[in-house]
Amino acid sequence: MRVGVITFPGTLDDVDAARAVKHAGGEAVPLWHGDHDLRGVDAVVVPGGFSYGDYLRCGAIARFAPVMQEVVEAARGGMPVLGICNGFQILCEAHLLPGALTRNHKLHFVCRDQWLRVENNETAWTSRYDRGAEILVPLKSGEGGYQADQRTLDELEGEGRVVFRYVGENPNGSRNEIAGISSANGRVVGLMPHPEHAIDALTGPTDDGLGVFLSLLDAVVSA
Amino acid sequence: MARVVVDVMPKPEILDPQGQAVANALPRLGFAGIAAVRQGKHFELEVADDVDDAALAQIAETFLANPVIEDFVVRRLDA
């Protein structure tokens, strides 16, 4: 399984994302923002950080990077794509996922270990979890408030496309406590918290995030 | 060259914590009577004469603003 991990200028979490892919038994393939091809990968992770300094809006400029044109096209063809944090913001700006991420309601950057509930275990990135399982992974973002109009929210809830939901106090004002969502076909998933930082007990609060990458392995192998 | 202004504002129904923080700071600074503040973005573009309104609208809608959360207004300034 070859999994592309994109690096934009200002990306921070590409190394941990690649490490998580390797931990799960995959091969991490570095992709550069200026690349015009995806080097034959089976899936792509768009990692966290501050692409292009987050100028204008988070993800607004990264969306137009050459590599993202390839990702959008491949995702429309069914390739699994995971956006974490800034990656989630980029996938929303690229219209692969609906809605937008806005400034945290209390304005503070939130950096803490966060409990999430897995609401949908039928996506390409969550099949290894039990539905309703609660996992503990780091959350570190200043613009993580998920916003969408009521019709979009009703659609996401009705179709089971809310994949992760915050447990306990809402950390950033996200509507419906939404931490992560998926595309209609369950292949594209974006979330604000960081499963790639929680893949072993040595470097993370738990190994709860590893299941995301193991799930992908299953999705790619069975495809 | 023409001068074009694009104003981008958070939609009324979208929470604007930055605007609220500004509003909350005003009484502390001794300014009374400001009921609410909304914070947005103001762009000034120097535009060649052959750029039409449709192109400007597309720039605003696809890049300068995110229509999911923001409204925008495009205005040509008289030279």
Side-chain angles (χ1 to χ4, degrees):
Chain A
M1 175 182 70
R2 287 163 54 82
V3 181
V5 178
I6 300 178
T7 301
F8 300 95
T11 295
L12 300 176
D13 300 327
D14 44 347
V15 174
D16 268 20
R19 180 170 172 267
V21 167
K22 281 178 232 165
H23 231 74
E27 179 191 349
V29 179
L31 297 174
W32 184 238
H33 66 109
D35 287 351
H36 286 273
D37 82 279
L38 297 181
R39 301 174 62 189
V41 297
D42 301 301
V44 165
V45 177
V46 188
F50 299 88
S51 56
Y52 300 96
D54 275 349
Y55 294 143
L56 187 58
R57 288 181 309 279
C58 305
I61 299 176
R63 168 202 169 188
F64 291 101
V67 74
M68 281 308 298
Q69 313 301 312
E70 305 298 324
V71 169
V72 168
E73 198 178 310
R76 299 224 185 278
M79 188 185 73
V81 178
L82 176 69
I84 305 167
C85 194
N86 193 220
F88 184 17
Q89 295 163 340
I90 294 168
L91 296 185
C92 287
E93 283 282 343
H95 306 307
L96 283 177
L97 294 171
L101 284 308
T102 60
R103 187 66 65 104
N104 293 351
H105 66 328
K106 291 180 182 165
L107 287 172
H108 294 287
F109 191 97
V110 172
C111 184
R112 69 180 192 210
D113 297 330
Q114 173 71 44
W115 284 101
L116 310 175
R117 191 167 53 248
V118 180
E119 300 276 25
N120 178 342
N121 65 351
E122 293 175 6
T123 78
W125 300 91
T126 55
S127 60
R128 287 278 186 121
Y129 295 98
D130 292 330
R131 185 151 179 248
E134 296 192 354
I135 66 174
L136 182 66
V137 302
L139 174 71
K140 44 164 195 155
S141 45
E143 302 195 27
Y146 183 77
Q147 300 286 338
D149 60 27
Q150 193 59 45
R151 194 178 57 83
T152 304
L153 284 174
D154 291 345
E155 199 175 293
L156 289 172
E157 296 284 0
E159 294 175 4
R161 289 167 58 192
V162 175
V163 179
F164 297 101
R165 212 184 296 270
Y166 297 114
V167 174
E169 191 194 345
N170 190 330
N172 48 28
S174 289
R175 294 197 69 184
N176 294 21
E177 289 79 42
I178 288 173
I181 58 172
S182 79
S183 59
N185 66 2
R187 308 290 281 178
V188 180
V189 168
L191 75 167
M192 286 311 296
H194 289 264
E196 84 284 16
H197 291 333
I199 59 161
D200 65 21
L202 179 65
T203 58
T206 61
D207 63 358
D208 290 353
L210 188 60
V212 169
F213 302 92
L214 292 169
S215 299
L216 173 70
L217 193 72
D218 294 348
V220 169
V221 168
S222 68
Chain B
M1 298 290 278
R3 194 143 224 244
V4 173
V5 164
V6 181
D7 286 309
V8 177
M9 291 298 294
K11 283 180 187 281
E13 68 271 25
I14 296 285
L15 183 72
D16 174 20
Q18 294 179 103
Q20 285 179 355
V22 172
N24 293 338
L26 288 170
R28 289 203 301 274
L29 299 173
F31 298 104
I34 312 297
V37 176
R38 306 278 291 168
Q39 180 178 322
K41 298 185 185 115
H42 174 93
F43 300 87
E44 295 180 350
L45 287 64
E46 299 289 335
V47 174
D49 293 333
D50 60 350
V51 177
D52 62 15
D53 289 350
L56 291 171
Q58 198 182 358
I59 289 167
E61 185 170 4
T62 59
F63 189 45
L64 299 182
N66 179 348
V68 175
I69 49 171
E70 295 168 325
D71 294 324
F72 62 87
V73 177
V74 182
R75 283 182 292 138
R76 282 182 183 271
L77 299 187
D78 296 328

